[in-house]
Amino acid sequence: MNAPSSAKVIPFDEPTLFPRAPRTLEETGLPLLFLVELAAKLLFVRGQLRLTELSQQLRLPATVLESLLAFMRAERLCEVIRRGETDGDILYELTDAGRIRAAEYLNRCKYAGAAPVGLTAYVAQVERQSVTKMRVTREDVNEAFRGLIIKPEVRDQLGAAMGSGRALFMYGPAGAGKTYLAERLALLLDGDVAVPHAILVDGEIIQVFDPLIHSPVEDDQRPAVLDNLMRPDLRWVRCRRPVAITGGELTLRMLDLDYDASTGFYQAPPHVKANNGLFVVDDLGRQLVTPEQLMNRWIVPMDRHHDYLALHSGTKFTLPFDVVLVFSTNLMPSDVADPAFLRRLGYKIHIGPMNEDEYRNIFTRVCEERGVPFDEGAFQTLLNDYHAVHGQPLLACYPRDLVNQIADLARYLGEPARLTPDALHWAWHNYFATR
């Protein structure tokens, strides 16, 4: 059953950009027979259900479901078991013929949850709440990075990059703080977005909402109201802009639709789940695929802002590619991509070693957090006798790692933790495996 190409797009609640609930079967944007199949599967799995319960499970208004259930009753697929005081209390159950039909439906696809939205409606909603429409100011960046020791020029680069919505490439030595900064960029994502439980493409269900990526806004759950025609469409979940982070486990296959033959429906790839938000590829170069392969996979989506996906039936379609794509790597840009791809990376930001004052500030803060008194003489010993002698740059990760080792030793010995030359010597040689 194909989704109609001219599916009606439901208007939005202007202040929140949230889709309004459909008032008719036509306004769901879904084929009638698909809705029959979904309702029959739910009744088969749950048994007898009231109209209000069907509405809550399918996330469709009861007034819309009344028309659907009337059609199913006329086709002898379901029947009324008991009538209550209100229409919402009517109890429905499948007929014998309905159970046979529902078993066939479940054998093909076991999805029996919230009704999906049509592809047309999904594309329109993603475009309406595009991440490129965010405005990021210096004040926003200062608030997000409050308490961090970060070079002013790097702070401004990150802020401008997030405001542009273009891809950014953070590179520099391991331990410079690239991953931490990439994760901190999530604080610059502004506003809520509507995320569908699932979308319907060419009769196939693609699950989009993922609790590991999407954080629902607390007031999104609203009680069912039978006669409120202006209520929001609960097939969509109001969420904060999503953040997806992937690392060495990323493969090219993960960037395609994930079809589960045992359930008969799809999971959207992570960059689709991250639409309207942030998608971080951490430790680029440590994946099983080469950086060149990943770059080639994304060169068209980055340029045209949409991605091409395919169903197992062979049907191909496009979805928006509306993410701030962040690459974090220890490699130089010229080592991971050719000039054609680097041109599409809006920002190449180097995250490097710190100067002595910045390093001291971090060291002091870490000592305060761990209850280790800071000692300037010991700190100078660290700079002169260890960093300088061994050629180790002043990276952001070292203060916390070294002070943690000193605190660990003190706890083991049952003594107060102190920043002494002996303690630094012990921590340094443990950490860097030197003699």
Side-chain angles (χ1 to χ4, degrees):
M1 292 168 283
N2 297 334
S5 57
S6 58
K8 189 172 182 179
V9 177
I10 309 302
F12 303 100
D13 179 3
E14 290 296 340
T16 60
L17 306 181
F18 202 89
R20 296 204 301 263
R23 291 171 289 182
T24 64
L25 288 172
E26 180 188 13
E27 284 189 353
T28 65
L30 302 172
L32 173 61
L33 294 182
F34 172 83
L35 289 171
V36 168
E37 177 178 329
L38 191 60
K41 288 190 292 186
L42 183 59
L43 282 167
F44 186 93
V45 172
R46 298 292 301 276
Q48 300 175 353
L49 286 173
R50 294 181 177 83
L51 177 59
T52 52
E53 293 171 330
L54 278 165
S55 175
Q56 291 166 1
Q57 293 295 318
L58 296 178
R59 304 299 178 97
L60 290 173
T63 50
V64 172
L65 292 180
E66 284 178 331
S67 300
L68 176 65
L69 291 165
F71 175 82
M72 293 177 67
R73 289 175 63 194
E75 295 294 315
R76 304 289 193 271
L77 297 176
C78 74
E79 57 188 347
V80 172
I81 299 301
R82 185 176 67 250
R83 292 186 179 275
E85 296 181 359
T86 65
D87 290 343
D89 288 332
I90 297 176
L91 192 63
Y92 291 90
E93 184 180 58
L94 291 176
T95 62
D96 290 340
R99 279 188 284 272
I100 293 173
R101 191 76 62 83
E104 295 173 354
Y105 295 150
L106 283 166
N107 187 54
R108 182 168 63 247
C109 174
K110 292 181 172 57
Y111 184 90
V117 302
L119 179 60
T120 303
Y122 175 72
V123 171
Q125 179 68 5
V126 171
E127 292 176 350
R128 188 174 181 85
Q129 60 199 20
S130 172
V131 73
T132 62
K133 296 180 180 180
M134 291 193 313
R135 183 171 181 265
V136 178
T137 66
R138 174 171 284 182
E139 290 73 21
D140 297 328
V141 176
N142 289 340
E143 178 64 26
F145 292 157
R146 177 179 295 179
L148 296 185
I149 307 300
I150 179 174
K151 295 180 185 299
E153 58 270 24
V154 172
R155 187 187 300 251
D156 289 340
Q157 284 178 300
L158 292 172
M162 286 294 292
S164 74
R166 299 180 66 189
L168 62 104
F169 189 96
M170 290 197 295
Y171 66 100
K178 301 181 299 298
T179 299
Y180 184 77
L181 288 176
E183 294 174 351
R184 195 87 173 192
L185 292 176
L187 298 176
L188 295 173
L189 296 174
D190 179 52
D192 301 333
V193 296
V195 178
H197 285 277
I199 59 177
L200 186 71
V201 179
D202 200 31
E204 300 287 346
I205 294 174
I206 303 171
Q207 200 162 36
V208 176
F209 178 78
D210 185 340
L212 298 179
I213 292 177
H214 301 112
S215 299
V217 176
E218 292 181 359
D219 65 354
D220 183 57
Q221 301 302 321
R222 300 171 176 84
V225 180
L226 295 179
D227 58 351
N228 185 358
L229 301 181
M230 296 300 292
R231 68 175 181 168
D233 189 343
L234 296 183
R235 294 179 295 169
W236 302 79
V237 185
R238 189 188 303 274
C239 300
R240 297 176 179 84
R241 289 189 181 271
V243 178
I245 301 176
T246 184
E249 76 280 4
L250 183 63
T251 65
L252 289 179
R253 185 175 180 179
M254 290 172 58
L255 302 180
D256 294 326
L257 292 172
D258 181 15
Y259 179 69
D260 186 341
S262 65
T263 62
F265 60 92
Y266 296 80
Q267 284 287 336
H271 62 284
V272 172
K273 294 179 179 180
N275 263 336
N276 301 137
L278 185 71
F279 187 58
V280 178
V281 181
D282 195 22
D283 278 336
L284 180 66
R286 293 185 179 275
Q287 289 75 23
L288 295 176
V289 296
T290 65
E292 290 82 3
Q293 289 174 309
L294 284 176
M295 300 301 178
N296 289 335
R297 170 64 178 81
W298 272 319
I299 191 168
V300 171
M302 287 174 57
D303 193 41
R304 301 183 182 179
H305 303 291
H306 62 254
D307 193 18
Y308 295 93
L309 298 175
L311 302 172
H312 70 285
S313 63
T315 299
K316 295 182 179 180
F317 62 99
T318 62
L319 283 180
F321 187 81
D322 187 71
V323 297
V324 176
L325 185 59
V326 179
F327 296 101
S328 171
T329 182
N330 303 336
L331 304 174
M332 293 293 292
S334 58
D335 294 333
V336 299
D338 59 27
F341 189 87
L342 292 178
R343 178 172 55 83
R344 290 169 170 82
L345 288 172
Y347 290 81
K348 277 77 78 174
I349 303 175
H350 181 252
I351 311 296
M354 319 196 89
N355 61 38
E356 182 177 322
D357 288 338
E358 293 166 339
Y359 196 67
R360 178 186 287 102
N361 286 338
I362 293 182
F363 215 98
T364 302
R365 290 187 183 185
V366 172
C367 285
E368 291 176 356
E369 292 172 5
R370 293 307 309 264
V372 180
F374 178 78
D375 182 273
E376 178 64 28
F379 179 75
Q380 290 298 325
T381 297
L382 175 67
L383 294 179
N384 300 326
D385 295 352
Y386 293 94
H387 279 288
V389 170
H390 294 279
Q392 290 290 352
L394 305 181
L395 299 179
C397 68
Y398 294 156
R400 184 170 303 277
D401 293 340
L402 292 173
V403 172
N404 281 343
Q405 293 232 4
I406 292 172
D408 291 341
L409 178 62
R411 186 169 58 251
Y412 168 73
L413 296 175
E415 301 174 351
R418 292 187 301 148
L419 196 64
T420 65
D422 287 343
L424 281 172
H425 179 84
W426 187 87
W428 181 276
H429 291 288
N430 276 336
Y431 188 74
F432 289 102
T434 59
R435 297 186 178 220

